[in-house]
Amino acid sequence: MEKLLPCFAVLFLVAFTSIVRADPDMLQDICVADLASTIKINGFPCKANVTADDFFFAGPGKAGNTTNLVGSVVTPANVEKVPGLNTLGVSMARIDYAVGGINPPHTHPRATEIVFVIEGTLDVGFITTANVLIAKTITKGDVFVFPRGLVHFQKNAGYEPATVIAGFNSQLQGTQSIATALFASNPTVDDYVLAKAFQIDNNQVEAIKAKLAPKK
């Protein structure tokens, strides 16, 4: 049964995201994304020559490198990795967490997310627009849903690495990390605004910006 869990996870996520897709309905069988096109539309133009590789991606099959500041890594399988997903309204990702690792507070403006725990134990939660925290500890075989657009997070609460498979009802869900958006935007948000919002001083704002600044 345990060996079937990853298969069940993928089938379940595909079924869920197909039912509650957030993207517009497709108008033909397939519309494989032409990622090299200079034409700008809502989505991607269809390319003429299609192969099986347009519908294939091996990335989520192996663990990602979690050696970073937050101790987690997301391996996406969206339209940018699988061009055949264009117009299909579905995508997925693998998320790996080191011990003590987090997926920092972030939002997906274009999709609801559902996660299936493959290994490990995680503390997860989201915050409603009424500022209510909805949180739970989930473990191997569990499922949890993060509603579209709401700030949410995951933390490895166990003593071993953890892994989840995430499904989205969009071909490209969009991800906006709260800390990075506020403290590492280009150009940067004015120090006064951040200091006032977080009730800290300008020196603290600059220290946070320095930590989160993109590495050159």
Side-chain angles (χ1 to χ4, degrees), residues 142-160:
D142 291 344
V143 166
F144 196 83
V145 176
F146 304 102
R148 175 180 176 177
L150 296 186
V151 176
H152 59 283
F153 62 88
Q154 301 109 34
K155 179 188 77 174
N156 185 349
Y159 299 99
E160 301 291 340

Side-chain angles (χ1 to χ4, degrees), residues 154-207:
Q154 301 109 34
K155 179 188 77 174
N156 185 349
Y159 299 99
E160 301 291 340
T163 302
V164 306
I165 297 295
F168 304 95
N169 59 333
S170 172
Q171 67 181 35
L172 192 61
Q173 79 281 0
T175 300
Q176 187 168 43
S177 170
I178 305 305
T180 303
L182 291 173
F183 291 92
S185 63
N186 183 24
T188 60
V189 177
D190 185 84
D191 286 3
Y192 177 84
V193 173
L194 296 174
K196 198 77 169 177
F198 288 94
Q199 294 297 292
I200 57 179
D201 61 43
N202 285 8
N203 289 333
Q204 291 171 304
V205 170
E206 284 298 318

Side-chain angles (χ1 to χ4, degrees), residues 48-173:
N49 299 315
V50 175
T51 71
D53 285 340
D54 291 317
F55 299 86
F56 172 82
F57 178 52
K62 58 183 180 180
N65 183 3
T66 57
T67 306
N68 53 51
L69 290 176
V70 296
S72 73
V73 64
V74 178
T75 304
N78 54 39
V79 69
E80 294 176 335
K81 300 292 184 181
V82 188
L85 288 175
N86 195 37
T87 76
L88 298 185
V90 62
S91 61
M92 62 179 291
R94 171 183 177 140
I95 311 173
D96 293 291
Y97 313 80
V99 175
I102 66 168
N103 192 4
H106 61 282
T107 69
H108 301 300
R110 296 188 289 274
T112 290
E113 176 182 4
I114 183 168
V115 298
F116 182 94
V117 184
I118 301 298
E119 294 289 347
T121 300
L122 298 110
D123 292 335
V124 302
F126 63 86
I127 302 159
T128 72
T129 55
N131 216 30
V132 175
L133 172 64
I134 308 294
K136 192 171 182 63
T137 299
I138 58 176
T139 191
K140 185 175 182 177
D142 291 344
V143 166
F144 196 83
V145 176
F146 304 102
R148 175 180 176 177
L150 296 186
V151 176
H152 59 283
F153 62 88
Q154 301 109 34
K155 179 188 77 174
N156 185 349
Y159 299 99
E160 301 291 340
T163 302
V164 306
I165 297 295
F168 304 95
N169 59 333
S170 172
Q171 67 181 35
L172 192 61
Q173 79 281 0

